[in-house]
Each structure stands twice: as structure tokens, then as C-alpha cells.
């Protein structure tokens, strides 16, 4: 794959001021999971920024090696936390991937699977719901267990074959039909909030969304399941499909504008980071940037808002040892670290133990555990060694991808009888 655009055209894509802000000091390297695994400069933030600079100045080609280095990045943004110069690495890596994908599209049609996923599946909530129904039917018919027991599951690529073991029973169509589009506060109403349900979140973790809504009603909020919302666009943005991401952002902005709620609440760290950065996506569309900023001002992570509301009244002591794995995009992207821990500590009987390097990526990173399986599992196995040392009964996280990854980690280490992975909203609901 050769550089087909002019250097000037590529240069305009990159924020050269941001690239030049990198002092090449190396503070980012110990924080970077892929650099820690490989020791390769091109697998660290500093090296990747140097490669971006070379491409932007037309000294390097947009070739396979450049693509490999850019997509080997987890996008965890731990380097942003470590960086003394405050380099916005997250936006730089997204730009690099946009440049790569635009260059590839100028030479050949994108793979069919990619086109289906980004254009015909994730942007369409009804189709995602249908996929959930298919998965539920397969589980209800025992096909998932049968495939595992007979070995038929091995016909799938290894990442999918192992991941399916971590997938729990999804909600039935009958259960989904019971959802009330509005749930009223159980005491004096303080706010009306719109719950951002997400795409994968509402398919595979429907009960977690319902638990989040119940917690918010107990804390004094009317909760609205806003209609016509869509995928947040994070997966598109991280994969170089920025036009698709912006289209999804516009749909969500319009949907929540019409809902006229006090806050927009989400319970997925990865989605939340994207939702809170919508205004950065529209630097070339002033009208949409203004509307996006108004949307962002209303955005709250569920942990963030619950920590601000009157304390929940827990009635069920949980005499268990609990540890917490930070969602990268919640901790590094949104700066939300203390609130989840405070909520866990507020549960009667809970013994909280801090996880070593809790804010180091678990290796999930959207679809990274499928596109970069070996690296993802190396990172996960290291994480599970730290989890073992906590001797916790529960490992809690705040992102669906992290939750599936931790469930997979538990299976890989054979600890199914010793520890359970759970979303923090499900944990809090259980304590109620």
C-alpha cells in the first residue's frame, strides 16, 4: 500500500501543533501496554507520533508497516495521563487511522465484513436488537452449549470461539417488551435523565441498563429511554471511519435535544468518552459543534451522577471481598476514578481491596481482542496475575468490553469457582 495522497493533503489531516507538542521525553512508555509487552519504540506512543510526523511530512509512506503500528495501539489513552505536556494522543491516533482507511479506500473497496459492520449493523438499533434475538434463540435452544461440548465451536476463529464462553444469557424478546420508556423517581424528583442505552450494551447487557435505570430512580431521577438514539460512534472513530462516527453523533444529538432532559447518562466507559468528545468531532461544522457542546455539557457517567446524588440506601449487606478494574476510557478519557470506588465502599459489609495497576488496560479495547488477539491475551494474562493477588470474590468494572474480557480472563485462569466479574451497576443493584 503506497502513499497516494499528496503530502499537503495528509498534512492537513493531522494536527501538527499537537504532534509538535510531543517532547519525546518517554514518560508515556511505561504506561503503554503494547510497549511494555514488546519493548518496541514503534509500539509506544512516542514512536507512533514520530511515525505520524513522518507521514504528515511525506517522508514516510502510508504502508502496511505504518498501518500495523497504528492499529496495534489499544487506544487506552494511559499515555495521556502520563504525559507532562498534555498531548492529546487519542485524537492523533484516530486521525492516523482515518488517513490509513481513506488511503485504502482510494485504492480498493473495503472488505465486505467491514462494510457490513460499520454501515449495515452498528448504526441500526433494530438490526442490533435482531442480532440479540438470534443470540438468545441460540442460547435458549442449547446450541451454544452443544457447540462447546461437541467441539463444533472450533469452526469459529479462535478469538470468537473463546469469547463466546464469556457471553452470558441475553434477555429474551419478551423481557425486552416489558421495558417502560419512562421510569419515575421513587422519591422527590430531582432531575429527569435520558439513559444512553448503547448498541452492544443494550443487546448483551440489557439487564445492566435496567439496573442503571432503577438505581437512578432510587436516587431521585425520572429516567427516560430516549427513542431514536443510536450507537455512540466510538467504534467507528477508533477504526478510522470518522464520517460514520459523525453521522451517528448527529443522530444522538438530535434525539436527546428532542427529549429535553436535564442529563444524558451512560454506563459504558468507552461510549462515555466518545459522547463527551462529540464537540471535537465537528471542528469544521460550527453549527453542529455548538449543538454538540450543549449535548456534552449534559453528559454524565452513571457513577459520576450517582456520586453527586443523595446516597443510595442499601439494605443488603454483602460480606465479600471486592476489587475494581478501571475502564481505560472512564479513568484516562473521562478522569473518573474515585466515584466508582466510593460507591463500592458504601455497600454494607463490602471489603474493598485495590488492584495493582487497576487503570492499566485489560486488553479488550473495543474489538482489539478480536483483531489483535495474541497481544490482547498477553495483556489479559498479566492483568489476571494481579487479580489473583487481591483474593477478591468480585472484580468490578464499568464497561461492557472490559466485563467480557475479565470474564474471559477468569475462564482462562480456571477461577470460575473463586471469582465473579460484574458490572458496577449490577453490583449496586444487587446490594439494594
Amino acid at each position: 500500500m503506497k502513499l497516494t495522497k499528496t503530502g499537503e493533503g495528509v498534512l492537513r489531516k493531522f494536527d501538527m501543533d499537537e504532534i509538535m507538542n510531543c517532547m519525546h521525553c518517554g514518560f508515556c512508555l511505561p504506561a503503554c501496554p503494547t510497549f511494555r509487552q514488546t519493548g518496541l519504540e514503534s509500539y509506544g506512543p512516542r514512536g507512533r507520533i514520530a511515525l505520524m510526523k513522518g507521514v504528515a511530512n511525506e517522508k514516510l509512506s502510508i504502508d502496511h508497516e505504518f498501518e500495523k503500528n497504528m492499529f496495534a495501539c489499544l487506544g487506552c489513552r494511559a499515555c495521556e495521563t502520563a504525559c507532562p505536556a498534555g498531548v492529546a494522543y487519542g485524537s492523533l491516533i484516530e486521525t492516523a487511522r482515518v488517513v490509513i482507511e481513506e488511503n485504502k479506500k482510494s485504492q480498493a473497496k473495503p472488505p465486505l465484513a467491514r462494510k457490513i459492520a460499520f454501515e449495515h449493523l452498528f448504526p441500526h438499533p433494530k438490526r442490533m436488537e435482531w442480532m440479540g434475538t438470534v443470540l438468545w434463540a441460540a442460547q435458549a435452544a442449547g446450541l451454544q452449549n452443544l457447540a462447546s461440548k461437541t467441539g463444533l465451536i472450533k469452526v469459529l476463529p479462535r478469538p470468537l470461539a473463546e469469547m463466546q464462553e464469556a457471553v452470558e444469557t441475553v434477555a429474551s424478546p419478551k423481557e425486552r417488551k416489558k421495558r417502560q420508556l419512562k421510569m419515575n423517581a421513587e422519591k422527590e424528583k430531582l432531575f429527569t435523565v435520558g439513559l444512553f442505552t448503547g448498541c452492544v450494551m443494550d443487546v448483551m447487557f440489557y439487564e445492566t441498563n435496567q439496573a442503571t435505570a432503577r438505581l437512578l430512580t432510587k436516587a431521585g431521577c425520572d429516567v427516560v429511554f430516549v427513542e431514536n438514539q443510536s450507537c455512540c460512534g466510538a467504534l467507528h472513530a477508533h477504526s478510522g471511519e470518522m464520517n460514520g462516527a459523525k453521522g451517528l453523533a448527529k443522530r444522538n444529538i438530535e434525539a436527546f435535544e428532542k427529549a429535553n432532559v436535564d442529563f444524558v447518562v451512560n454506563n459504558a466507559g468507552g461510549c462515555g468518552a466518545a459522547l463527551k468528545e462529540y464537540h471535537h468531532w465537528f471542528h469544521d461544522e460550527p453549527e453542529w459543534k455548538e449543538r454538540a457542546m450543549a449535548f456534552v455539557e449534559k453528559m454524565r457517567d452513571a457513577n459520576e451522577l450517582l456520586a453527586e446524588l443523595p446516597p443510595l440506601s442499601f439494605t443488603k449487606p454483602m460480606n465479600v471481598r471486592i476489587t475494581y478494574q478501571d475502564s481505560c476510557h472512564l479513568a484516562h478519557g473521562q478522569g473518573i476514578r474515585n466515584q466508582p470506588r466510593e460507591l463500592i465502599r458504601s455497600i454494607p459489609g463490602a471489603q474493598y481491596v485495590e488492584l495493582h495497576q487497576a487503570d492499566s488496560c485489560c486488553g479488550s479495547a473495543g474489538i482489539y481482542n478480536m483483531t489483535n488477539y495474541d497481544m490482547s491475551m498477553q495483556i489479559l494474562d498479566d492483568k489476571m496475575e494481579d487479580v489473583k493477588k487481591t483474593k477478591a470474590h468480585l472484580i468490578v468494572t464499568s464497561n461492557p468490553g472490559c466485563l467480557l474480557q475479565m470474564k474471559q480472563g477468569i475462564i482462562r485462569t480456571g477461577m470460575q469457582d473463586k471469582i465473579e466479574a460484574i458490572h458496577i451497576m449490577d453490583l449496586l443493584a444487587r446490594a439494594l
Side-chain angles (χ1 to χ4, degrees):
M1 181 171 60
K2 296 299 182 182
L3 178 64
T4 56
K5 297 182 182 298
T6 65
E8 184 181 357
V10 175
L11 182 62
R12 285 199 297 268
K13 291 282 184 182
F14 284 105
D15 185 338
M16 290 304 295
D17 289 337
E18 202 63 63
I19 284 179
M20 298 307 294
N21 280 341
C22 176
M23 303 180 295
H24 305 283
C25 65
F27 276 90
C28 59
L29 299 181
C32 176
T34 53
F35 179 82
R36 290 204 305 268
Q37 290 292 329
T38 66
L40 296 174
E41 182 71 16
S42 60
Y43 268 45
R46 180 176 68 180
R48 291 189 180 106
I49 290 174
L51 292 173
M52 293 177 206
K53 182 179 178 181
V55 165
N57 290 329
E58 209 178 3
K59 293 181 179 179
L60 294 175
S61 295
I62 309 173
D63 56 14
H64 175 71
E65 189 67 21
F66 181 72
E67 179 181 2
K68 183 184 75 172
N69 289 321
M70 295 304 113
F71 279 94
C73 174
L74 291 143
C76 69
R77 296 169 64 173
C79 53
E80 291 188 9
T81 300
C83 181
V87 175
Y89 176 82
S91 64
L92 289 176
I93 195 69
E94 287 182 358
T95 300
R97 291 172 178 177
V98 168
V99 167
I100 290 167
E101 292 306 320
E102 288 188 356
N103 186 57
K104 288 168 70 175
K105 287 176 182 178
S106 71
Q107 299 181 52
K109 290 183 178 180
L112 181 60
R114 183 182 180 91
K115 186 176 180 67
I116 290 172
F118 288 116
E119 296 182 21
H120 302 292
L121 184 57
F122 286 106
H124 302 280
K126 292 295 182 183
R127 295 176 191 175
M128 290 295 295
E129 188 176 339
W130 178 81
M131 289 289 290
T133 299
V134 170
L135 179 56
W136 167 82
Q139 291 175 333
L143 298 180
Q144 187 180 24
N145 289 333
L146 179 65
S148 295
K149 289 178 180 178
T150 61
L152 286 174
I153 199 72
K154 293 180 181 178
V155 302
L156 292 174
R158 188 180 177 190
L160 285 176
E162 289 197 10
M163 180 60 71
Q164 65 82 32
E165 294 184 63
V167 176
E168 295 189 354
T169 304
V170 300
S172 69
K174 183 178 179 180
E175 184 67 25
R176 292 171 186 278
K177 287 180 181 179
K178 294 180 182 178
R179 172 179 278 172
Q180 300 173 340
L181 292 181
K182 184 177 181 181
M183 296 170 63
N184 295 322
E186 294 190 10
K187 47 189 177 183
E188 179 186 358
K189 187 186 86 168
L190 301 175
F191 302 107
T192 298
V193 304
L195 188 66
F196 184 83
T197 54
C199 50
V200 173
M201 192 74 198
D202 213 37
V203 169
M204 301 184 70
F205 300 99
Y206 173 86
E207 291 298 337
T208 304
N209 277 344
Q210 294 300 108
T212 305
R214 290 195 298 273
L215 290 165
L216 289 166
T217 61
K218 288 182 180 295
C221 296
D222 282 357
V223 179
V224 180
F225 287 89
V226 175
E227 296 184 283
N228 299 319
Q229 60 176 294
S230 188
C231 171
C232 67
L235 187 58
H236 288 71
H238 300 331
S239 301
E241 299 285 345
M242 187 51 74
N243 287 335
K246 290 167 70 173
L248 292 168
K250 289 177 180 180
R251 284 164 60 181
N252 285 322
I253 292 167
E254 287 180 332
F256 283 92
E257 281 176 345
K258 292 176 183 177
N260 194 31
V261 293
D262 298 311
F263 296 108
V264 181
V265 180
N266 95 99
N267 54 17
C271 295
L275 294 165
K276 287 185 175 181
E277 294 179 351
Y278 271 3
H279 55 305
H280 294 308
W281 294 3
F282 296 104
H283 58 86
D284 55 347
E285 298 181 61
E287 179 189 345
W288 276 105
K289 182 170 184 176
E290 186 176 343
R291 293 171 70 178
M293 289 182 70
F295 175 89
V296 169
E297 287 174 0
K298 291 185 176 184
M299 270 304 312
R300 297 291 187 279
D301 178 78
N303 293 285
E304 185 180 19
L305 186 58
L306 285 171
E308 295 172 1
L309 293 169
L312 294 165
S313 298
F314 295 110
T315 58
K316 185 178 179 182
M318 298 185 70
N319 298 313
V320 291
R321 190 175 173 90
I322 302 174
T323 193
Y324 177 72
Q325 160 68 17
D326 286 283
S327 156
C328 292
H329 286 91
L330 191 64
H332 302 299
Q334 301 180 59
I336 296 173
R337 299 169 179 269
N338 294 330
Q339 297 93 323
R341 290 168 169 81
E342 290 171 1
L343 289 167
I344 293 170
R345 289 191 179 102
S346 70
I347 299 172
Q351 180 187 359
Y352 179 76
V353 56
E354 186 66 23
L355 175 66
H356 177 61
Q357 293 186 326
D359 64 351
S360 178
C361 188
C362 65
S364 171
I367 58 172
Y368 190 92
N369 52 6
M370 288 186 279
T371 60
N372 294 269
Y373 174 79
D374 291 337
M375 179 67 74
S376 172
M377 293 302 107
Q378 290 172 29
I379 293 168
L380 174 59
D381 290 343
D382 287 349
K383 174 66 66 175
M384 294 310 297
E385 288 302 311
D386 288 328
V387 171
K388 284 180 186 178
K389 294 172 185 176
T390 66
K391 296 187 167 101
H393 304 106
L394 297 173
I395 179 163
V396 181
T397 189
S398 299
N399 189 62
C402 300
L403 180 57
L404 280 175
Q405 185 83 337
M406 299 315 299
K407 287 177 181 288
Q408 190 170 356
I410 290 170
I411 294 170
R412 284 174 66 86
T413 52
M415 297 197 298
Q416 296 94 315
D417 297 331
K418 297 180 180 179
I419 188 169
E420 175 190 1
I422 186 171
H423 193 287
I424 189 169
M425 295 296 119
D426 292 315
L427 172 68
L428 297 174
R430 187 182 293 184
L432 289 172

